[in-house]
Amino acid sequence: MKAIAPLFLLFIVMVACNYNPKYKLPIIGQRTLENGEVVDHVIRPFEFVDQDSNTVRNATLKDKIYVADFFFVSCPSICPLMTKQMLRLYKKYKNEPGVLFLSHTIDPRHDTVGRLRRYAGKLGVKSSKWHFVTGERDSIYGIAGDYFIAVEDESGNGDPASLIHSGKFMLIDGSGHVRSYCDGTDPKDVEKFMFDIDHLLQEEKDKNAAK
Amino acid sequence: MDKTIHIKSFVYSLVILSFFAVLFACGQSKKKETTPTVPQDTSTQPSVLSTQEKLLFEKVMHLHDSAMERMGEINQSMKQMRKLSIDTKSSEELKAQARDALEKLTIADKAMWDWMYGFRKKEKWNGKAGDYINYLHKQDSSMQIVNESIITALKQADQILNKTQ
């Protein structure tokens, strides 16, 4: 009986920490057939400008995982709640080089680079870690469609564009696949989302180590 | 008898050990996660509001959220009207209707973003103390106008789209 004690303890710890080494996050979104091959949904190439006037493109985020959301500085309702939760994530992963954050403004007319810089400054976050990006309105809505069409397929909420103000956080892997999402206004949902980030981070590290 | 006591104390020790193991394994990181320092401007419900102000604030926000839900649709309709207004296959009458609908959509869209840009929470509002309730009443009225213009513009665009199908 004494022999099973350490195994029992290990089991308790694994259950309590929600740890499952075999668990792999699914790739979210519809698969398509291209040239006879099944292709997973992937975020299209993009190019935006961040709070430091630096260009952020797919290559900036390559081989890293990132959390993306859509917000705007003067949003009086859900964005403050989202920012509070995103800050939780930022604080947890700020020393983890494999994780980045990408917040797209959906009000590019008012949210200039300067305004985004002031906003980031107030939050006290590093621009190399958390990019607040702006760009052409059509590009922003276009990329939103790419993120949300994946989410919409799963949730069945209708028009992907209507999700642009839904408060969702999306988790993207190093190859541009949407791997998880959560309600960024719900602290409990964000808590669960952190487990997904941890799992994906480990997966990405394993993948990069094998290269 | 001795054996029973021995098993009981073993199980008891196992439970205690499990409890500490769980605390040790998961407790530390969760503590760090749940105590962020949040800047003041990320609060959504200012505690400085009186009950009446809070009720009105929530009413305005509810209206704002329902209008905001349709902004993706506005963007989509704008693209469709822009396309129709320059489509060589469209009749001159249809092009003119699409241009008119596009203008209405653009006005509604701009009005919404401008309203949000101009809206002030109490802690950032510079008016006289006690006047915030009047400010919220005015914001409620203007948000209703914006909401109406969004609904009307979308309806007009839908009617034009239905003609083309």
Side-chain angles (χ1 to χ4, degrees):
Chain A
M1 192 155 183
K2 277 181 183 174
I4 62 160
L7 289 173
F8 178 71
L9 279 177
L10 183 66
F11 174 73
I12 293 287
V13 171
M14 283 168 76
V15 169
C17 297
N18 213 7
Y19 177 72
N20 178 356
K22 286 182 183 170
Y23 174 62
K24 202 173 175 186
L25 295 169
I27 293 175
I28 299 171
Q30 248 184 3
R31 289 176 162 188
T32 49
L33 200 61
E34 284 177 22
N35 302 325
E37 273 187 44
V38 179
V39 180
D40 289 311
H41 176 73
V42 69
I43 301 299
R44 73 180 77 173
F46 60 81
E47 200 171 282
F48 296 112
V49 178
D50 76 1
Q51 68 268 37
D52 283 351
S53 298
N54 289 325
T55 304
V56 176
R57 50 174 73 92
N58 307 62
T60 317
L61 309 161
K62 197 174 182 295
D63 296 333
K64 293 181 190 293
I65 67 169
Y66 68 97
V67 180
D69 74 343
F70 292 82
F71 86 111
F72 54 104
V73 173
S74 46
C75 168
S77 54
I78 62 165
C79 306
L81 296 170
M82 291 165 67
T83 305
K84 189 175 176 179
Q85 293 309 315
M86 199 64 123
L87 261 177
R88 274 180 77 195
L89 298 179
Y90 175 85
K91 283 173 191 290
K92 184 175 177 189
Y93 299 101
K94 71 177 177 183
N95 296 320
E96 175 51 68
V99 182
L100 294 177
F101 299 90
L102 185 63
S103 291
H104 310 73
T105 178
I106 55 170
D107 184 11
R109 190 160 59 90
H110 294 116
D111 291 347
T112 57
V113 167
R115 196 164 191 233
L116 292 176
R117 192 187 305 125
R118 284 192 295 279
Y119 187 72
K122 275 185 191 172
L123 294 174
V125 299
K126 276 189 196 170
S127 54
S128 56
K129 184 80 182 169
W130 188 349
H131 301 278
F132 290 89
V133 294
T134 185
E136 291 293 322
R137 180 183 161 129
D138 281 347
S139 305
I140 297 167
Y141 276 76
I143 205 79
D146 261 19
Y147 286 110
F148 289 120
I149 200 150
V151 175
E152 188 271 336
D153 281 344
E154 287 228 325
S155 63
N157 277 340
D159 180 17
S162 68
L163 290 168
I164 203 160
H165 193 57
S166 63
K168 293 271 187 299
F169 289 170
M170 283 141 301
L171 179 62
I172 320 299
D173 69 18
S175 308
H177 301 122
V178 181
R179 302 293 296 272
S180 180
Y181 62 90
C182 73
D183 179 354
T185 66
D186 180 355
K188 284 182 184 167
D189 212 19
V190 173
E191 192 85 34
K192 289 181 204 158
F193 191 60
M194 287 178 185
F195 287 116
D196 289 348
I197 297 176
D198 290 339
H199 276 286
L200 189 60
L201 184 60
Q202 192 53 52
E203 185 188 311
E204 205 67 29
K205 279 179 180 173
D206 292 345
K207 199 173 82 181
N208 290 337
K211 275 182 186 173
Chain B
M1 184 72 179
D2 270 359
K3 198 179 176 185
T4 312
I5 291 168
H6 186 70
I7 290 171
K8 273 186 182 173
S9 76
F10 175 73
V11 170
Y12 182 70
S13 307
L14 204 59
V15 169
I16 298 281
L17 269 171
S18 304
F19 176 72
F20 280 107
V22 170
L23 276 185
F24 180 75
C26 302
Q28 294 291 330
S29 58
K30 280 179 186 170
K31 262 184 211 168
K32 281 177 193 168
E33 291 159 17
T34 51
T35 53
T37 310
V38 180
Q40 202 180 356
D41 65 348
T42 58
S43 64
T44 187
Q45 291 294 336
S47 56
V48 290
L49 293 181
S50 67
T51 310
Q52 200 186 355
E53 285 170 343
K54 197 177 170 189
L55 284 171
L56 195 51
F57 181 86
E58 280 170 2
K59 184 176 176 248
V60 176
M61 283 305 108
H62 180 71
L63 191 60
H64 156 269
D65 285 343
S66 63
M68 197 60 207
E69 270 176 25
R70 309 201 73 175
M71 293 305 278
E73 216 179 314
I74 283 260
N75 196 60
Q76 188 66 17
S77 292
M78 282 166 80
K79 274 164 77 175
Q80 287 164 332
M81 290 302 110
R82 204 172 290 132
K83 197 176 163 189
L84 265 183
S85 68
I86 54 168
D87 191 345
T88 49
K89 291 175 194 161
S90 303
S91 66
E92 286 308 313
E93 189 192 356
L94 189 64
K95 280 183 187 172
Q97 286 175 349
R99 276 198 300 274
D100 185 55
L102 179 60
E103 195 184 333
K104 300 261 170 52
L105 288 164
T106 308
I107 290 168
D109 179 78
K110 187 176 180 297
M112 183 67 184
W113 291 113
D114 285 347
W115 181 89
M116 291 184 286
Y117 183 68
F119 182 75
R120 292 287 174 267
K121 286 182 182 171
K122 196 173 183 180
E123 66 266 33
K124 288 192 174 177
W125 182 67
N126 295 322
K128 284 181 194 170
D131 276 359
Y132 192 64
I133 197 89
N134 293 329
Y135 172 77
L136 286 176
H137 276 299
K138 280 180 190 165
Q139 294 306 311
D140 184 35
S141 303
S142 50
M143 191 63 239
Q144 283 183 36
I145 293 166
V146 172
N147 197 31
E148 275 301 314
S149 69
I150 289 171
I151 293 167
T152 312
L154 283 172
K155 204 172 168 182
Q156 188 179 341
D158 274 353
Q159 282 169 350
I160 294 168
L161 275 180
N162 286 338
K163 281 183 198 171
T164 61
Q165 285 161 1

